[in-house]
Amino acid sequence: MTPTQPAASLADLRQEIDRIDAAMHGLLMERGEIIDQLIAIKRSQASGSAFRPGREASMMRDIVGRHHGILPVDIVESIWRVIIATFTHVQAPYTVHGDISLGNAAMRDVARFHFGFVVPYETHDDAGDVIHALSHSRGDLGLVPVAAPGSWWRALEGETAPKIIARLPFVERADHPAALPTYVLSKPIAEPPSSSDVRLVSAVLPAALSKLPQGWSIPAHAGAALLVALHPGQTIVALAEALPAGTSFEPVGSHAPAFVLPLK
């Protein structure tokens, strides 16, 4: 082996990296051309919102599921989330509204990790202000921590009120850099929930319970108001049987089930 061989090999590897970088850039530009065609089709067909949370969750499961190698999965998830969010913004500009009632830094991490820096981000003191902003926007998104104070989800009751369309992070794992459990809200969209989705129901009891019912997922509660997550196979009829008579129920959205990255 001569002293020049390692340098030549290093140059070859750098050339390969340059080739891959150019190919990735070319594919991103090609993706942009297809998005441009989508914009033209949607303008002619008036197909509505550009958000497809079920499709996005499926894409993320596929991407993270097949990932391997030295590149951290955090980077892979964030890159694709930013690509999806930015191209969606190109199709139909929107703003992300964040409820910072549990901390500004934590919500900022959620917003930037999942939506990048191109999509405008505005902060609000509480969930009510976020929901109000969505109600008066054309197609913005809201970020509300699952554990936000008060029975904030009650403002999502009613057919025309904003609804929960996703839950972040899309991929759950230990030491996630944007780990604050957060719901994504929007005005009602045309995409119906799939059979595997978690359906969210606002349940208002005649009086507050001293103990929450067993066997049900209740992400949040405040006094006599419960936010109940119905997993596949669970029904409102069965929930009604588990709660006191006189309880009222209103659907407030749905989201794809979490994809939990196995520990290695």
Side-chain angles (χ1 to χ4, degrees):
M1 181 181 294
T2 66
T4 59
Q5 281 181 319
S9 176
L10 184 61
D12 289 342
L13 290 173
R14 285 173 174 165
Q15 190 172 19
E16 279 294 284
I17 290 173
D18 290 343
R19 178 188 62 80
I20 293 169
D21 287 347
M24 289 193 298
H25 186 202
L27 289 172
L28 284 173
M29 290 187 289
E30 185 178 347
R31 194 183 199 277
E33 292 171 359
I34 295 173
I35 294 297
D36 204 27
Q37 296 176 47
L38 281 175
I39 293 172
I41 291 172
K42 289 186 175 184
R43 282 174 179 167
S44 64
Q45 296 183 353
S47 59
S49 173
F51 299 114
R52 294 293 180 267
R55 173 173 164 77
E56 292 180 14
S58 177
M59 289 172 62
M60 294 311 307
R61 282 194 293 267
D62 290 344
I63 289 167
V64 175
R66 68 173 177 252
H67 179 68
H68 62 87
I70 64 171
L71 183 65
V73 71
D74 294 329
I75 301 302
V76 176
E77 182 188 2
S78 182
I79 287 172
W80 256 269
R81 278 301 315 149
V82 171
I83 288 173
I84 293 169
T86 301
F87 275 118
T88 301
H89 184 265
V90 170
Q91 290 184 62
Y94 64 97
T95 295
V96 171
H97 301 267
D99 165 16
I100 61 172
S101 59
L102 298 187
N104 193 2
M107 182 53 71
R108 183 181 63 245
D109 287 346
V110 171
R112 293 313 185 196
F113 183 91
H114 292 92
F115 298 94
F117 288 88
V118 171
V119 178
Y121 171 58
E122 295 182 9
T123 60
H124 300 268
D125 291 334
D126 55 41
D129 287 346
V130 169
I131 296 168
H132 181 268
L134 296 186
S135 299
H136 292 80
S137 74
R138 291 191 60 184
D140 291 353
L141 293 180
L143 301 178
V144 175
V146 175
S151 55
W152 59 267
W153 58 90
R154 295 217 54 199
L156 308 180
E157 297 175 0
E159 186 176 348
T160 62
K163 296 289 182 286
I164 296 168
I165 64 169
R167 185 187 183 280
L168 302 177
F170 279 91
V171 182
E172 292 189 350
R173 58 189 177 278
D175 301 322
H176 194 292
L180 180 68
T182 302
Y183 286 129
V184 181
L185 280 59
S186 81
K187 283 185 174 179
I189 61 176
E191 180 180 295
S194 73
S195 59
S196 63
D197 279 356
V198 177
R199 291 172 296 130
L200 296 160
V201 176
S202 172
V204 182
L205 288 66
L209 295 176
S210 58
K211 184 178 180 181
L212 296 177
Q214 298 297 308
W216 297 93
S217 175
I218 302 176
H221 60 93
L226 308 179
L227 178 63
V228 185
L230 298 179
H231 295 269
Q234 295 183 320
T235 65
I236 291 182
V237 172
L239 177 62
E241 293 175 353
L243 295 176
T247 300
S248 64
F249 303 94
E250 285 282 348
V252 292
S254 63
H255 63 79
F259 180 85
V260 180
L261 194 68
L263 295 175
K264 295 183 179 180

